[in-house]
Amino acid sequence: MPNEKDSTEKHLLNYADVFADVVNVLVFHGKEVIDPKDLVSTEARSVLTLHGKTREQERDVVKIWTKGNTKIALVGLENQTLQDKDMPLRVLAYDGASYKEQVNHHRSKNKELKEEKTYPCLSFVLYFGTTHWAKPTSLLGCIEDIPEELKPFVNDYHIKVFEIAFLDDDTRKLFKSDFRHVVDYLHQVRTKEEYQASAQPVKYPAEVLQLMAAFTNNNRFLDVAYEIDTRGPINMKDLIGNMLTDSEHKGELKGTVDCVVNLIRSTKGNTNLNDALEMLKVPADIRDAVAEQAKSILAE
């Protein structure tokens, strides 16, 4: 069973209007190509068989894009708060399982399933970190020391990673769903190290806050989310105010910097700054500020 954090990360994107908005902006540059009414929820779990043993693997959010009775594509969204060097392998496994399911349908005794046309399986990684993605984005990038003679025979597999905190101004303005609050939050904490909430309305307040809590490890978002007993009308400013401008945030920042510095010093330099940030699971909303201050202290 997925843990609670994994589950809450998926709630907002499970809404068809939010899912369609994210894909329309990131893939179709804001054109409303996908209508939320054309999205059909499907099983996110698939069965993988290895060495005679079966195990379940689960995508974060996946939907079938349809037109009438025709399936246009299977679209999956994978949430990443931390960078993962195995991400291309994971996505390949997800997409492979989806294509395997289509093969099974083609061989089914059910005539309707058997005659169903093959449709593409697309997976997009939504990365919520405030540092650029530096891990592999292709299968070949995951394989070390591959002989040059073999490279022409290894089919590469690329993944698309969207760095949400680094979306440009024009792209950020295209979002119409509640996902725009997530994008705005990440942009502000990356560029200003603070967050001033807007007065724009929030349709799914609890789900927005749960997602923010998941990628920041900031329980203050959850505290507010759990107190909400109704859906809108409410705006973001009334919902959480300017959470990152108060003294509590400054105290959290200093405490985290101290932990990072102490970890690096205690290992006598065997742990670098990036590893320390990963090991301590420093929240995305303060990661850049922590790194900058820790680097300054360590240089003294």
Side-chain angles (χ1 to χ4, degrees):
M1 293 291 291
N3 61 38
E4 183 178 357
K5 180 180 176 181
D6 288 338
S7 179
T8 56
E9 280 183 4
K10 305 169 187 177
H11 289 171
L12 180 64
L13 291 168
N14 255 326
Y15 290 109
D17 59 328
V18 179
F19 190 101
D21 184 44
V22 170
V23 178
N24 283 335
V25 171
L26 297 180
V27 179
F28 301 113
H29 311 292
K31 295 181 181 179
E32 296 185 3
V33 176
I34 298 180
D35 188 325
K37 296 178 182 179
D38 292 332
L39 292 173
V40 178
S41 296
T42 186
E43 181 60 61
R45 295 181 183 179
S46 58
V47 176
L48 181 66
T49 301
L50 291 173
H51 305 300
K53 297 182 179 180
T54 60
R55 63 181 294 272
E56 284 190 342
Q57 56 180 7
E58 184 173 5
R59 290 175 177 266
D60 284 341
V61 185
V62 60
K63 295 184 183 295
I64 300 288
W65 175 21
T66 66
K67 281 293 183 182
N69 295 323
T70 303
K71 295 179 180 179
I72 305 298
L74 178 145
V75 183
L77 299 179
E78 301 300 323
N79 300 328
Q80 282 298 118
T81 57
L82 299 175
Q83 299 187 35
D84 184 354
K85 64 181 179 62
D86 291 330
M87 201 68 212
L89 304 179
R90 291 172 51 195
V91 172
L92 177 57
Y94 298 148
D95 289 350
S98 297
Y99 283 119
K100 173 60 175 174
E101 184 177 357
Q102 293 189 59
V103 171
N104 293 339
H105 283 180
H106 298 164
R107 297 179 178 179
S108 170
K109 294 180 180 180
N110 185 313
K111 182 178 180 182
E112 183 178 343
L113 290 178
K114 193 171 184 177
E115 294 180 352
E116 186 177 78
K117 294 182 179 179
T118 302
Y119 51 87
C121 300
L122 310 173
S123 296
F124 304 108
V125 179
L126 306 183
Y127 171 54
F128 297 104
T130 53
T131 57
H132 283 295
W133 182 273
K135 300 300 182 182
T137 56
S138 70
L139 176 60
L140 285 179
C142 298
I143 302 175
E144 299 178 2
D145 302 324
I146 180 171
E148 288 295 327
E149 297 83 357
L150 288 182
K151 283 187 178 180
F153 301 98
V154 179
N155 291 326
D156 205 357
Y157 194 87
H158 294 265
I159 63 172
K160 180 60 181 178
V161 178
F162 290 103
E163 299 177 317
I164 304 304
F166 292 88
L167 296 177
D168 59 44
D169 292 345
D170 290 338
T171 301
R172 292 199 311 276
K173 293 175 182 177
L174 296 175
F175 289 100
K176 299 177 181 178
S177 71
D178 278 356
F179 196 72
R180 69 183 182 273
H181 297 297
V182 176
V183 174
D184 181 52
Y185 174 87
L186 284 170
H187 171 73
Q188 288 196 46
V189 298
R190 182 183 68 81
T191 59
K192 304 176 184 178
E193 297 179 7
E194 64 179 30
Y195 174 59
Q196 296 185 354
S198 73
Q200 291 183 319
V202 186
K203 184 177 181 180
Y204 307 113
E207 290 81 356
V208 168
L209 294 177
Q210 286 168 355
L211 178 57
M212 287 182 169
F215 65 68
T216 63
N217 289 325
N218 190 333
N219 288 330
R220 283 178 290 169
F221 288 117
L222 284 182
D223 292 340
V224 177
Y226 291 149
E227 293 175 0
I228 297 173
D229 56 7
T230 183
R231 300 196 186 281
I234 190 171
N235 66 54
M236 202 64 179
K237 191 169 185 178
D238 289 341
L239 188 62
I240 60 174
N242 301 327
M243 291 180 59
L244 297 185
T245 61
D246 58 21
S247 59
E248 182 181 349
H249 169 67
K250 295 179 181 178
E252 177 189 6
L253 184 64
K254 183 180 184 304
T256 306
V257 171
D258 290 342
C259 288
V260 170
V261 171
N262 291 337
L263 174 58
I264 294 174
R265 285 176 172 171
S266 67
T267 59
K268 299 180 179 180
N270 290 326
T271 302
N272 62 38
L273 182 56
N274 286 333
D275 288 343
L277 295 172
E278 294 284 342
M279 291 168 65
L280 294 172
K281 297 182 178 179
V282 176
D285 59 342
I286 62 172
R287 180 167 294 207
D288 284 352
V290 169
E292 182 178 349
Q293 292 187 27
K295 188 184 298 183
S296 177
I297 294 173
L298 291 167
E300 294 176 354

